[in-house]
Amino acid sequence: MQLPEVTLRAIEPEDLDVLYRIENDRQLWGEGITNVPYSRYILHEYIATSSADIYTDKQVRFMIIDPQGVAVGIADLVNFNPKHRRAEVGLMLMSQYRGRGYASAALKELCRYSSEVLNINQLYAVVSTDNIKSITMLKRMGFHESGVLSEWLCNGCEYSDAIILQKKL
């Protein structure tokens, strides 16, 4: 499968609606660290106050942009550790763009940026064992399974295991 072309860019105030839709997509809550909706105000404040400096914030968030300039999702580097030169990867796409190669293309760009610009040694992802599509995509992109975290994720009433996948850059 040929990957679509994507670019990663900093979040702009105009991205508030896309960010709002993604952060409040209940289908994604089981994969992330939250299970509560975000208000437009909170997201607006995040955009306004984020330094976009991974060394200051220990995270950086990018919009995933398709060739027509449309924001299709978000790519995150979080839990950045400059001493050990590693970061956790997070990818979230709007529902209409899932399954079309955008996550793989964004991950490829995120790996390149992490290696060439940030000099990160490795990236990792924590994924629910139920999320076969994400696990398959990460493995296809060179990540390997390195462990299982028992009852790591909670959907509000049930726990599920998570897999750690890593990639040396």
Side-chain angles (χ1 to χ4, degrees):
M1 169 177 168
Q2 184 169 351
L3 298 179
E5 288 186 36
V6 299
T7 55
L8 302 179
R9 67 157 170 77
I11 293 180
E12 300 286 349
E14 301 81 41
D15 297 319
L16 180 60
D17 288 337
V18 173
L19 192 61
Y20 182 81
R21 280 191 305 231
I22 289 173
E23 292 291 357
N24 290 295
D25 183 342
R26 289 178 179 254
Q27 291 180 333
L28 299 173
W29 286 0
E31 297 302 321
I33 61 170
T34 188
N35 59 353
V36 296
Y38 283 97
S39 69
R40 287 184 185 280
Y41 175 78
I42 293 295
L43 294 172
H44 179 270
E45 288 299 302
Y46 168 77
I47 293 170
T49 61
S50 174
S51 72
D53 179 0
I54 194 168
Y55 291 94
T56 300
D57 298 338
K58 302 299 182 235
Q59 67 178 9
V60 66
R61 177 167 269 190
F62 300 99
M63 298 306 293
I64 304 168
I65 308 299
D66 77 0
Q68 290 73 41
V70 175
V72 299
I74 301 168
D76 295 327
L77 290 174
V78 299
N79 298 322
F80 173 62
N81 186 312
K83 177 180 179 182
H84 299 294
R85 296 177 34 224
R86 66 176 174 247
E88 182 177 352
V89 172
L91 297 167
M92 295 169 282
L93 296 174
M94 290 192 296
S95 59
Q96 66 266 38
Y97 297 103
R98 295 178 195 150
R100 295 171 52 188
Y102 286 108
S104 296
L107 183 57
K108 181 179 176 183
E109 284 301 305
L110 206 54
C111 289
R112 185 194 59 72
Y113 175 80
S114 296
S115 175
E116 294 175 9
V117 177
L118 298 176
N119 197 30
I120 288 177
N121 179 54
Q122 72 172 288
L123 295 175
Y124 68 95
V126 178
V127 181
S128 170
T129 55
D130 299 336
N131 191 341
I132 302 303
K133 288 182 180 182
S134 291
I135 293 168
T136 301
M137 183 272 296
L138 286 160
K139 287 182 176 180
R140 190 175 55 245
M141 298 302 292
F143 283 69
H144 68 277
E145 185 177 331
S146 62
V148 176
L149 300 166
S150 180
E151 295 187 3
W152 195 255
L153 301 171
C154 183
N155 68 4
C157 55
E158 293 180 349
Y159 287 90
S160 64
D161 294 348
I163 297 174
I164 300 176
L165 298 115
Q166 296 173 271
K167 180 177 182 171
K168 177 150 177 21
L169 301 177

